Amino acid sequence: MGQGTTEEPNIIAALKSGRRRKKRSVEYALTEQEITIVEDMEGFYHPPNADDFQNMSWFDNYGDVSSEKSILLNLTQYISQYTEEDLIEAGHDIGEMLQECVFMGKTCGPEDFYHFYDNKYGNCYTFNSGMDKAVARITNPGTSFGLSLTMFINQVQYIPVLTQEAGLRLLLHKQGQVPIMEEDGFDVTPGTKSSIAVRYVEVSRLDGLYSNCTKNGSRFAEGTSHEYYPGNYTQKACLKTCLQNGIIKKCGCASPLYRRPVNAIVCGPDDNACVEEVEFDLLDNNICSYQCPLPCWESQYQYVISSSQWPSNNYMPFLKESLDERGEDMKKVMEADTRTGLSQQFLKMVVYYDNLNFYKYTERPTMTTKDLIGALGGHLGLWIGMSVISFIEVFELIITLIKWCARGGRSNKTSSLTDLDEKSRRADECPTPVLKFKESWVNDD
């Protein structure tokens, strides 16, 4: 299946009733092997009985856009006529939300938070963003050396239909990266203290012959890497940019679910069919996946969350006393809410490193050239009893035999004859020794 599409759990079967099941835009044909497996499961599953829920009128819109998504589409289309400055003014302010801030044992404040606007969550604030040309670093592990925040969420100002849950959305990310709150963030519950133990992870991938990973976004199609998501490259940001460009090109409007050009027309509920069709085509055909490879290097923050009730019953009076003089909205909350209600307006969270060790995952070639030569030598020695040295000696012997044959075997004969001639010449030069006898005469007389 193409990247970006997920197989939907098989929880809805075709109805054998008057209400006809609508086709989902993400459906795809099963392969023969998958059909065989499904047919083998027929004795295990039973089809739903439509008569049991004929009177459930709230399911009559089955297959249509969900109410939550429809509200989001209508709302984003409506608020698109307002400027971002107007929307920021109408949202929650960090000066109101932030009640206590402690980092590395020292007090921090609203001036340490940089603001950005999210299409779904509204006003968002980043601590230690690096935008002031400086980055704070933690030098010790543990909760005492982390970031501790006490937040006032002010549920009274929540939009009833749009906001179904209460709390904060938190995201840990590297500096220079556009936060994608909806996909990468996690929720922090009011009335609790959440301890978030963080661990830093680095991932390094091989490029070139081993993968199509990109360095600094250099493998992008032009205009798709930093058009709507500036800063460091991430695959998710690239995919969203690719999808948004496809939607604008075919549907003539921009999806409210992704970052978009400033002057673009926002798609409404009537354009949802076109938007889903474009998304399905681009992802199922791997068009955006090819344009948006994984980065060759990236960092991640893994975390473990634990929580407890906060504030406790005995600490509640002290909290009320310390918050009595913190703004008109806060004063109203203190006067109106009971102990139980007050706890639902606040939360506390501590973000810290559980240790200063970090994990680094590095891709390495399964076999290099040296490994290949060593493996070949090992197999030769194992299967035909030859080592590399033996192979070289055999090769040298073959070369010697070839040279000897090329000379016709005359080398040794010539050498022998030469030796004989040399010996003969030396024999002629040496005189033969002559024995001389002295004659002596003996007279008998």
Side-chain angles (χ1 to χ4, degrees):
M1 178 175 289
Q3 187 171 4
T5 57
T6 306
E7 292 189 16
E8 187 180 35
N10 188 19
I11 58 175
I12 303 176
L15 305 181
K16 299 179 180 179
S17 66
R19 191 176 70 201
R20 185 178 181 182
R21 190 175 74 88
K22 298 180 181 179
K23 183 179 180 181
R24 292 165 291 191
S25 59
V26 295
E27 287 184 342
Y28 66 99
L30 298 178
T31 63
E32 294 183 359
Q33 182 180 3
E34 291 172 334
I35 292 175
T36 302
I37 296 175
V38 170
E39 291 176 348
D40 189 53
M41 297 290 292
E42 288 182 352
F44 178 80
Y45 286 110
H46 302 282
N49 187 0
D51 296 334
D52 294 340
F53 42 84
Q54 278 290 340
N55 296 326
M56 297 181 181
S57 58
W58 53 89
F59 284 119
D60 288 344
N61 61 343
Y62 174 80
D64 295 337
V65 179
S66 66
S67 57
E68 183 178 358
K69 185 175 181 180
S70 179
I71 292 172
L72 178 61
L73 293 174
N74 280 286
L75 181 64
T76 50
Q77 187 182 33
Y78 172 75
I79 65 177
S80 62
Q81 58 185 316
Y82 295 95
T83 63
E84 187 169 305
E85 288 74 15
D86 295 333
L87 298 176
I88 294 173
E89 185 67 25
H92 292 268
D93 182 68
I94 186 64
E96 174 191 336
M97 291 192 300
L98 186 63
Q99 299 300 314
E100 184 183 33
C101 179
V102 178
F103 179 68
M104 294 280 290
K106 296 182 178 180
T107 303
C108 48
E111 62 271 13
D112 296 312
F113 291 81
Y114 275 74
H115 170 271
F116 69 94
Y117 187 81
D118 185 83
N119 291 330
K120 182 174 181 180
Y121 293 97
N123 291 340
C124 298
Y125 300 89
T126 301
F127 179 83
N128 197 23
S129 63
M131 297 302 297
D132 54 354
K133 308 299 187 298
V135 176
R137 300 184 184 277
I138 293 178
T139 56
N140 290 287
T143 56
S144 300
F145 298 93
L147 175 65
S148 176
L149 301 174
T150 301
M151 308 296 289
F152 171 53
I153 62 175
N154 198 4
Q155 292 196 45
V156 178
Q157 293 187 358
Y158 279 21
I159 301 175
V161 180
L162 181 62
T163 308
Q164 300 182 6
E165 66 277 351
L168 291 181
R169 189 78 170 175
L170 189 65
L171 171 61
L172 308 176
H173 64 92
K174 186 175 178 61
Q175 288 87 2
Q177 178 179 319
V178 175
I180 303 178
M181 301 299 299
E182 184 176 7
E183 297 181 13
D184 298 334
F186 57 92
D187 294 327
V188 182
T189 309
T192 62
K193 176 183 176 180
S194 299
S195 298
I196 305 163
V198 182
R199 182 170 296 174
Y200 180 73
V201 178
E202 288 185 357
V203 180
S204 180
R205 302 180 178 89
L206 291 172
D207 59 348
L209 299 176
Y210 301 97
S211 71
N212 66 332
C213 70
T214 178
K215 294 181 178 179
N216 300 324
S218 59
R219 291 183 58 88
F220 277 93
E222 185 178 358
T224 61
S225 59
H226 299 289
E227 191 169 354
Y228 311 129
Y229 296 83
N232 291 328
Y233 165 72
T234 61
Q235 188 184 41
K236 286 184 179 180
C238 177
L239 289 172
K240 291 179 180 297
T241 303
C242 177
L243 293 173
Q244 186 70 284
N245 287 334
I247 293 170
I248 294 174
K249 183 177 180 180
K250 186 171 182 179
C251 302
C253 59
S255 172
L257 304 180
Y258 314 128
R259 292 180 63 86
R260 57 187 183 271
V262 178
N263 298 323
I265 300 175
V266 179
C267 297
D270 296 337
D271 304 307
N272 186 66
C274 177
V275 171
E276 289 187 347
E277 182 181 357
V278 172
E279 291 177 338
F280 180 75
D281 290 340
L282 292 176
L283 295 175
D284 189 60
N285 296 322
N286 294 324
I287 297 175
C288 289
S289 301
Y290 176 77
Q291 294 183 7
C292 301
L294 289 168
C296 294
W297 182 92
E298 65 177 331
S299 61
Q300 302 172 358
Y301 291 94
Q302 298 178 352
Y303 52 85
V304 177
I305 304 175
S306 59
S307 60
S308 59
Q309 177 187 344
W310 186 90
S312 64
N313 294 334
N314 292 334
Y315 179 67
M316 185 75 71
F318 297 95
L319 178 64
K320 288 189 64 175
E321 184 178 352
S322 63
L323 298 176
D324 275 339
E325 298 180 356
R326 295 196 179 185
E328 192 65 26
D329 290 336
M330 188 67 62
K331 186 176 181 180
K332 292 180 180 179
V333 171
M334 298 296 109
E335 294 174 352
D337 282 353
T338 61
R339 284 191 174 188
T340 305
L342 183 62
S343 66
Q344 300 304 312
Q345 297 284 2
F346 293 90
L347 60 86
K348 187 170 185 175
M349 52 187 173
V350 182
V351 184
Y352 64 97
Y353 281 108
D354 57 352
N355 59 72
L356 295 184
N357 298 327
F358 70 94
Y359 289 87
K360 186 174 183 178
Y361 299 95
T362 303
E363 289 185 350
R364 300 185 184 276
T366 304
M367 179 174 290
T368 62
T369 304
K370 294 181 180 179
D371 297 333
L372 177 61
I373 295 174
L376 289 176
H379 283 291
L380 287 174
L382 177 65
W383 298 110
I384 61 178
M386 292 182 61
S387 64
V388 175
I389 296 177
S390 300
F391 182 79
I392 294 175
E393 291 176 347
V394 171
F395 182 75
E396 183 180 6
L397 176 61
I398 294 173
I399 296 298
T400 303
L401 291 175
I402 293 174
K403 289 182 178 180
W404 186 84
C405 292
R407 294 177 181 177
R410 294 191 297 271
S411 177
N412 291 337
K413 292 180 180 180
T414 303
S415 178
S416 300
L417 292 174
T418 303
D419 293 342
L420 290 175
D421 292 342
E422 183 68 20
K423 290 179 180 179
S424 299
R425 187 176 62 81
R426 290 180 179 179
D428 292 340
E429 290 179 354
C430 296
T432 303
V434 178
L435 296 177
K436 293 184 180 181
F437 298 93
K438 184 177 181 181
E439 293 180 358
S440 58
W441 299 95
V442 179
N443 293 325
D444 292 334
D445 296 341

